[in-house]
Amino acid sequence: MSEPANEDDLLRLARDWRDAPGATPDADVQARLRLAREQAIAALPTTAPMVETADSAAAPGVPVRWLLGGAATAGLALVLTLAIRTDGDVPVDALQVAAIEEMMDDQALLEDLEFIAWVAAEEFAAEEIGEAG
Amino acid sequence: MTTATELNSFLVGVEQKAYRMALMAVKNQADALDIVQDAMLTLAEKYAHKTAADWTPLFYRILRNRITDTHRSRQRGWRRFGPAAAFDLDGDADDADPIAALPAAPMSAPDARSELDATTERLAALVEGLPQRQREAFLLRAWEGLDVAQTASAMGVTAGSVKTHYSRAVHALRAGLRMDEVPSGHE
């Protein structure tokens, strides 16, 4: 076996691996991926999406109800979410208000906030049950 | 508005790579497929209006979030129901539970790798065994050709962090391939 002489050789080797026929997912997986892709295409919005803002994000039906506590709470929650997601490796500019406002447009992030709230509530409930038991 | 053709072409280009990355992370075929499907749907529903140039880092950011969600979900199972629940789910986050400390499960059956040459096969095993963020940084740069800023955007970390993870990955992979060379007794 020859050792990759440098980073470029290593990257070339990685691309060979990426493109190798033997590394291609099997037919069943490819069929599932094709189906997933078709469903995604079918889910394309037919109208231009509304730009999410702090106000609209808190509207009924959008899963960020608990952000209604105010901008400070939302900002703190966003930073905490980033801290959790990145194991403490929070980008410095994430601590700036402008950057936080931009993140309010990140639907995936907002969904994560709701997820974290749900997990916290679930774990709190579990502890309550454990203490009561 | 984004045309279906544009988005379809993009997804065709990333779907297999995304699946393989997800599979390496969660080590479960069904979970990996669900993750990719969810990432595709989210991109289409929420971010199709973005420019095509934004799609790659966005897609991998969504993919990464879904992988993280899967790890969190498994961690809850581990905490609440013990190892049996985690075994039912075929593993956990690579730094969150003891299963992750075990050698990485093979990405695919040995037969599926028979067409790879020895060096490529060894590289695949080494990449699968990297810590998650090193693996992500390396594959996003090697497979997708993302630059440092794009990789940072996709991973949700700073550019400096990407450089660190990538550098460690390259070092580990080269060291791993070099170590593998010794027992073979040639070259």
Side-chain angles (χ1 to χ4, degrees):
Chain A
M1 176 181 302
S2 61
E3 175 201 350
N6 54 41
E7 181 183 333
D8 287 342
D9 289 343
L10 190 61
L11 291 176
R12 196 174 303 117
L13 189 61
R15 287 192 290 271
D16 288 345
W17 171 37
R18 176 193 65 189
D19 300 331
T24 304
D26 63 36
D28 286 347
V29 169
Q30 291 191 44
R32 280 283 308 272
L33 291 172
R34 187 168 55 250
L35 183 62
R37 176 167 24 97
E38 289 168 358
Q39 289 175 341
I41 299 300
L44 269 174
T46 53
T47 56
M50 181 181 68
V51 175
E52 194 94 9
T53 66
D55 289 339
S56 63
V62 178
V64 286
R65 294 176 296 279
W66 67 292
L67 289 182
L68 282 169
T73 305
L76 178 60
L78 285 163
V79 173
L80 287 174
T81 302
L82 271 176
I84 293 167
R85 184 181 285 175
T86 61
D87 292 335
D89 187 15
V90 183
V92 171
D93 63 357
L95 299 173
Q96 298 170 350
V97 173
I100 291 172
E101 287 175 351
E102 283 180 21
M103 282 187 288
M104 294 298 291
D105 193 31
D106 184 341
Q107 186 63 31
L109 187 60
L110 297 177
E111 288 173 2
D112 260 16
L113 288 173
E114 188 196 39
F115 179 81
I116 288 170
W118 177 76
V119 170
E122 189 185 37
E123 294 189 347
F124 177 76
E127 287 174 9
E128 291 275 288
I129 292 168
E131 288 172 5
Chain B
M1 290 296 293
T2 302
T3 67
T5 308
E6 284 175 312
L7 188 62
N8 187 64
S9 296
F10 170 78
L11 294 176
V12 166
V14 297
E15 64 187 15
Q16 291 195 17
K17 288 174 284 190
Y19 167 74
R20 289 163 68 186
M21 288 183 192
L23 183 58
M24 279 185 255
V26 300
K27 300 178 176 63
N28 177 285
Q29 190 179 76
D31 285 348
L33 282 167
D34 286 346
I35 287 167
V36 175
Q37 180 175 26
D38 201 21
M40 285 179 171
L41 272 172
T42 303
L43 185 76
E45 290 175 344
K46 305 288 194 325
Y47 299 106
H49 63 285
K50 300 276 188 182
T51 65
D54 291 334
W55 283 346
T56 303
L58 265 173
F59 177 76
Y60 282 105
R61 178 71 176 267
I62 299 166
L63 187 83
R64 185 177 199 277
N65 290 346
R66 295 300 173 267
I67 289 170
T68 304
D69 288 347
T70 301
H71 286 160
R72 284 190 198 128
S73 174
R74 290 177 176 179
Q75 195 169 9
R76 286 201 310 280
W78 175 275
R79 282 183 188 158
R80 189 156 306 166
F81 303 112
F87 276 113
D88 286 345
L89 291 165
D90 289 341
D92 204 334
D94 59 1
D95 55 358
D97 78 68
I99 293 175
L102 298 173
M107 180 184 71
S108 52
D111 287 348
R113 281 206 182 139
S114 59
E115 295 178 44
L116 303 180
D117 68 39
T119 307
T120 308
E121 186 172 351
R122 179 62 185 152
L123 176 71
L126 289 168
V127 171
E128 287 171 38
L130 286 174
Q132 183 174 331
R133 289 204 279 180
Q134 287 184 33
R135 185 173 59 240
E136 286 174 351
F138 180 75
L139 290 179
L140 287 172
R141 301 208 62 194
W143 280 9
E144 281 297 348
L146 299 188
D147 61 25
V148 171
Q150 290 171 319
T151 305
S153 175
M155 293 179 64
V157 299
T158 61
S161 183
V162 167
K163 289 176 184 173
T164 301
H165 291 307
Y166 177 75
S167 173
R168 287 177 181 166
V170 167
H171 180 79
L173 294 173
R174 292 193 64 205
L177 291 170
R178 192 162 50 239
M179 284 174 62
D180 196 58
E181 184 180 9
V182 176
S184 65
H186 65 278
E187 295 187 7

